[in-house]
Amino acid sequence: MDEAAVSLMQPTFIKEKVPSGKFSIQLGKKLGSCELNLPETPEECERFWEALQSALERVISENQPVNSFTISKDTAIKEFGEGILNAGIVKKTPDPLTLSHIAGHVLAVPPSLPFDTTGSIRGIVLDLEQSSVIAGKKARKAEITLKFTVEEREDAPAPGTPGDVSTLSSEAIATLRTNEIRIPEGRDLKAALDPSFVEEEQSKVEAVDAPARKEMKVTAWEVEGSIDYNKLVDQFGSTLIDDALLKRIEAATVGKGNVPRLHRFLRRGIFFSHRDMNALLDCVEKGQPMYLYTGRGPSSSSMHLGHLVPFLFTKWLQDAFNAPLVIQMTDDEKFLFKGEYDPETGDNLLHYANLTMENARDIIACGFDHKKTFLFSDLDYVGTMYPNILRICKAVTTNTVNGIFGFDGSANIGKIAFPAIQAAPSFASSFPVVLDSPVPREAKALCLIPCAIDQDPYFRMTRDVAHKIVGKDHGLGGKPALIHSKFFPPLQGAEGKMSSSDENSAIFLTDTPEQIERKIKAHAFSGGQETKKLQEELGANLEVDVSYQWLRFFMEDDEELERIGKEYGSGSGEYWSTGKVKGRLIEVLKELVAEHQERRARITDEEVRKWMEQRSILVKEE
């Protein structure tokens, strides 16, 4: 429906005691350049009603949020036309009105108690005896009249309080104003009535999608496009984790009785690439000491699920290898790259120091062993690391840094120097007290760094100069070993990675159960088909479906995950639809986030400071 059609939509009749309604749209034969392709024969009309009923059932099954807001009557008519009025009480229409919309597209005047979600409705039944389509060459006008009854669920939750129209963005209002309703069932119907439509639509999709698809770009600062991980491994020069390496890791961890099984991130290929893991295991098997190093750049007060991934895996590694762990908080980096200066108030360096304290609570809540973990802020600890930072700065040229990280003459000198600060914890001698390694060339502890693969450039640089920092008898020649994870996809789709800057692309660890549910239902990209019929025939594309991919990260049960994948991928069984899979993901995330919030709430500033005290975290032999 386009804007010209809206002006011809008649006020809707709504009865609330027995929830039902009737509306009609007088379309004319042509509206501007929009040719109307309405059904004319009895067979075509039957298909039309079947498609509409299928669309209603799909929207109900998807349990989409129904968002309500208040708006003055005059403004509502001006913005959306008289079609939003209830013709049954048009003279008694309250002012302001309460309007509802679904997925930013469908506007309606709700009953006095609007539904919170489409799943609160058991069904919508079309009354075909009182509904009609008038169209065809002999018809004077084209008109659709629709009569329907709403079947409510007895256990439907109570609705929330409507917001004010001022809470809607101008973009949202513009979207509603166009009143464009494009249901996939309509395309299926048109394809059935006009076979040439399929070829036309396919050519349009190919023309639009080909140039729009972003090229893969992965740097230490940016991740864009569709990620080809095999290609990325070739570009970076790392090595894929194969079955032989998995068996070695299992023997060195599960085989020692330290953990019951390999972490799901390893079982499912989420940590997929490495540098020198086999060499590190050779050394560990000979009894050489090792430690873990990971970190976090505090850019927001609340971490999101993507930030949680490396820490969940690092917690498993600490248990699995019974290893000490150092965690670097790069508050200095965030100031250098994102800091601001105001002539009146000065800079905001302390802002990032405060974010370190907030993020530290989330990290500690992951369950690390305090006796074996040292968490530090660069602003506090950089002095202790400074001798190694100087050695790295001396060994790496400006051309090398610019080539790796893409700096140019506009970069501040802090940005150019920072890679040496992130490299320094790769050497045990940067922790003379914590790892009892005061003499650089005598430090023999091996370093393993779990991180997302976009952080690899830092440590390629580090590995190139490592031999200048350690002695010749270091097991890996001073080089840190790395194990890389894939990116955690944003809600809107599997391209790039999740970002703190886009609230609707992420689930934050401070989100309420209601926010988690709303974000998943409204924003999680679906790989399911556009109609129930197609879903049952083709199944979902699991590779692009965000809900399924997130379950791969956070659902522990392999058998249940496999079952969901088979059923959703084939369009059959309990998890045949997007709505069912989203519902299971919501359950998993609500439990995960609630447990995390409970642990975090017990962590005070004093507790954080204890984790940041310099002390030995070496594992004592019993």
Side-chain angles (χ1 to χ4, degrees), residues 109-127:
V109 182
S112 56
L113 291 177
F115 301 108
D116 260 359
T117 67
T118 59
S120 301
I121 304 168
R122 192 171 68 215
I124 297 177
V125 180
L126 300 178
D127 184 346

Side-chain angles (χ1 to χ4, degrees), residues 110-261:
S112 56
L113 291 177
F115 301 108
D116 260 359
T117 67
T118 59
S120 301
I121 304 168
R122 192 171 68 215
I124 297 177
V125 180
L126 300 178
D127 184 346
L128 299 185
E129 292 185 359
Q130 298 190 51
S131 300
S132 63
V133 178
I134 301 174
K137 296 179 180 179
K138 295 182 179 180
R140 293 183 178 180
K141 60 182 179 180
E143 180 180 83
I144 300 175
T145 300
L146 181 64
K147 180 73 166 39
F148 59 91
T149 301
V150 178
E151 297 178 340
E152 301 181 69
R153 277 177 44 194
E154 294 180 359
D155 60 345
T161 303
D164 185 83
V165 71
S166 61
T167 63
L168 291 180
S169 67
S170 57
E171 181 181 354
I173 291 176
T175 301
L176 291 173
R177 188 185 296 120
T178 62
N179 283 271
E180 292 181 349
I181 304 173
R182 296 287 183 261
I183 60 172
E185 289 80 4
R187 286 196 292 272
D188 290 348
L189 174 65
K190 188 169 176 60
L193 300 179
D194 182 5
S196 65
F197 173 75
V198 178
E199 295 180 4
E200 293 174 3
E201 287 295 293
Q202 184 61 35
S203 63
K204 290 178 183 178
V205 169
E206 292 174 356
V208 171
D209 285 354
R213 192 173 182 83
K214 289 185 177 180
E215 290 292 325
M216 179 178 74
K217 180 179 181 181
V218 177
T219 70
W221 328 113
E222 293 179 282
V223 177
E224 294 181 350
S226 180
I227 308 301
D228 182 333
Y229 286 101
N230 289 327
K231 182 178 179 180
L232 192 59
V233 164
D234 289 340
Q235 287 180 357
F236 280 13
S238 60
T239 304
L240 290 171
I241 296 175
D242 57 18
D243 290 339
L245 179 54
L246 285 178
K247 289 178 180 178
R248 288 199 69 186
I249 295 173
E250 185 174 27
T253 58
V254 180
K256 300 287 186 181
N258 296 338
V259 288
R261 65 193 305 200

Side-chain angles (χ1 to χ4, degrees), residues 378-573:
D378 279 348
L379 291 175
D380 293 335
Y381 190 73
V382 72
T384 306
M385 297 191 298
Y386 194 59
N388 276 346
I389 292 172
L390 278 179
R391 293 183 176 102
I392 298 165
C393 286
K394 173 70 174 174
V396 180
T397 67
T398 303
N399 285 341
T400 297
V401 172
N402 290 346
I404 293 173
F405 299 102
F407 296 134
D408 56 28
S410 66
N412 64 60
I413 58 176
K415 289 183 179 181
I416 298 171
F418 176 74
I421 298 175
Q422 183 156 323
S426 305
F427 305 100
S429 56
S430 294
F431 305 94
V433 174
V434 173
L435 296 178
D436 193 21
S437 301
V439 183
R441 301 195 71 79
E442 295 180 5
K444 298 180 181 179
L446 312 167
C447 179
L448 173 60
I449 304 172
C451 61
I453 196 168
D454 61 333
Q455 295 301 295
D456 185 76
Y458 281 110
F459 303 110
R460 292 205 304 272
M461 180 201 78
T462 306
R463 287 165 57 87
D464 286 345
V465 301
H467 62 283
K468 297 184 178 182
I469 313 297
V470 303
K472 293 183 178 180
D473 56 350
H474 187 282
L476 299 179
K479 296 179 180 180
L482 287 93
I483 186 164
H484 303 124
S485 74
K486 295 178 179 178
F487 302 119
F488 187 62
L491 278 169
Q492 287 87 344
E495 292 192 354
K497 69 174 183 177
M498 185 174 285
S499 171
S500 296
S501 61
D502 184 352
E503 180 179 335
N504 287 324
S505 80
I507 299 294
F508 289 88
L509 298 178
T510 52
D511 280 350
T512 64
E514 293 75 19
Q515 287 174 317
I516 292 172
E517 184 167 352
R518 177 186 62 80
K519 287 181 180 181
I520 296 299
K521 288 181 177 178
H523 299 293
F525 183 82
S526 171
Q529 304 300 325
E530 295 182 329
T531 67
K532 181 178 180 181
K533 181 180 179 182
L534 284 175
Q535 176 65 13
E536 291 174 340
E537 290 177 356
L538 305 175
N541 181 347
L542 302 182
E543 293 299 316
V544 302
D545 189 273
V546 168
S547 297
Y548 177 75
Q549 290 299 321
W550 281 26
L551 284 172
R552 292 187 69 245
F553 277 83
F554 295 118
M555 175 175 278
E556 178 62 32
D557 191 325
D558 288 339
E559 291 184 2
E560 183 179 4
L561 180 68
E562 183 180 7
R563 177 192 162 204
I564 291 172
K566 285 183 177 179
E567 293 183 353
Y568 191 31
S570 63
S572 61

Side-chain angles (χ1 to χ4, degrees), residues 191 309 319 401:
V309 169
D319 295 341
V401 172

